[in-house]
Amino acid sequence: VQLQASGGGLVQAGGSLRLSCAASGRTFSSYEMGWFRQAPGKEREFVAAISWNGGSTFYADSVKGRFTISRDNAKNTVFLQMNSVKPEDTAVYYCAAKPYYTSGIYRTGSYDYWGQGTLVTVSS
C-alpha cells in the first residue's frame, strides 16, 4: 500500500483544515487507517484512527470533539477534518495503514505503511 497525504497548510487558530490521504492498491478496505503527527523536537503521536469499514473511530484526548476521521473505501481515501485548530496542533501529519486483524490501533509500531507527511501550521 502506498499512501499520499495532502491538504496541509497555514491556518489561523480557530479555523479549519481538511487533510486527505489517498491509498494505492485494491485492498484498502482491509486496513485500519490512522493519522499521527510530529511536532518539532517531539515524538510522533497518535491523533485518530478508523476501522476498516468506518464503523469505529478513535481519537486522542487532545483532539476529541475537534477532529473527525472518515474514510471512503470506494475512493481509497481517508480524511481528517480539523476544526477549532490551536497553535499546539502545529505538526507534520502522517497517515498510516495497518491490517485490520492486528491490534494496537493507537501505537505507531502497529502500522506497516506510512505516507510522506503534510505540514500543518496554526498561527495564533
Side-chain angles (χ1 to χ4, degrees):
V1 176
Q2 291 187 321
L3 304 175
Q4 180 75 35
S6 61
L10 176 64
V11 59
Q12 286 189 331
S16 297
L17 208 59
R18 190 192 198 201
L19 305 184
S20 299
C21 176
S24 65
R26 295 176 291 178
T27 59
F28 178 69
S29 60
S30 299
Y31 292 90
E32 295 179 327
M33 299 298 297
W35 284 98
F36 292 77
R37 66 187 181 187
Q38 187 166 17
K42 296 187 176 182
E43 292 187 353
R44 192 170 298 188
E45 65 176 4
F46 171 81
V47 176
I50 189 166
S51 61
W52 67 273
N53 63 353
S56 297
T57 55
F58 310 84
Y59 296 95
D61 287 343
S62 60
V63 306
K64 201 171 294 183
R66 299 188 298 121
F67 292 8
T68 302
I69 188 171
S70 61
R71 68 189 295 163
D72 184 339
N73 284 350
K75 296 183 178 179
N76 284 10
T77 305
V78 63
F79 305 97
L80 184 69
Q81 178 67 43
M82 306 169 61
N83 297 331
S84 302
V85 295
K86 304 175 181 180
E88 51 263 44
D89 294 323
T90 295
V92 176
Y93 283 72
Y94 299 89
C95 59
K98 62 175 285 297
Y100 73 92
Y101 51 81
T102 62
S103 61
I105 201 167
Y106 295 96
R107 294 190 289 111
T108 57
S110 300
Y111 291 77
D112 296 329
Y113 304 98
W114 291 83
Q116 85 290 359
T118 185
L119 175 63
V120 172
T121 304
V122 182
S123 62
S124 56

